[in-house]
Amino acid sequence: REIQLDAMRSQLADLRAETTEYDDLRSGRTRLVKIESFDQLPRAIIAARIAAGLTQADLAERLGAHEQQVQRYEATNYASASMRRVSEVIEALGMTVREEILLPGRDDAASASLSRDQDSA
């Protein structure tokens, strides 16, 4: 029983954190979302839509798309969206993205290639 209570407390804490994050976005208290990798960009895009006070339908209208398409993008973290479409979404939301790309050194590129070769074997 204690394990179930701990799990429920953990879920409640997660929900409270998400609610606080949502409220901060909607109120304008959050103006900057930092991401550590490209994989985190979809979450930042969703946060930008919320911060702008837009619904999925509003964003779809700005994109000239159906609301269901925006729903699919967000449900799948933009996995099916092309780079061009992601760029269009960023522009439609009025986001400013400041890029910083850490280029790999020769050793980094070689070990990444070796890692990919080992994964496919």
Side-chain angles (χ1 to χ4, degrees), residues 1-110:
R1 181 170 180 201
E2 193 61 36
I3 292 172
Q4 287 178 326
L5 283 173
D6 287 344
M8 291 177 73
R9 285 184 191 113
S10 176
Q11 287 179 328
L12 181 58
D14 290 346
L15 287 171
R16 284 184 176 144
E18 288 178 15
T19 301
T20 298
E21 178 185 17
Y22 180 83
D23 289 342
D24 287 347
L25 288 167
R26 292 283 297 168
S27 70
R29 288 188 297 267
T30 298
R31 299 272 304 144
L32 177 67
V33 176
K34 293 184 180 184
I35 62 173
E36 298 296 322
S37 72
F38 191 73
D39 292 341
Q40 296 172 341
L41 183 60
R43 184 166 167 77
I45 291 172
I46 295 167
R49 178 184 59 75
I50 294 167
L54 299 176
T55 65
Q56 291 174 334
D58 295 333
L59 177 56
E61 184 176 324
R62 288 183 179 198
L63 295 170
H66 295 283
E67 179 180 1
Q68 292 79 10
Q69 184 62 54
V70 173
Q71 290 170 348
R72 276 191 294 275
Y73 286 152
E74 291 190 2
T76 62
N77 286 319
Y78 284 84
S80 64
S82 68
M83 288 294 292
R84 177 177 295 222
R85 185 50 133 185
V86 169
S87 181
E88 291 169 351
V89 171
I90 288 170
E91 185 177 328
L93 291 171
M95 291 174 67
T96 299
V97 178
R98 291 182 274 180
E99 306 91 10
E100 182 177 90
I101 299 173
L102 178 61
L103 301 176
R106 293 179 190 265
D107 293 338
D108 295 334

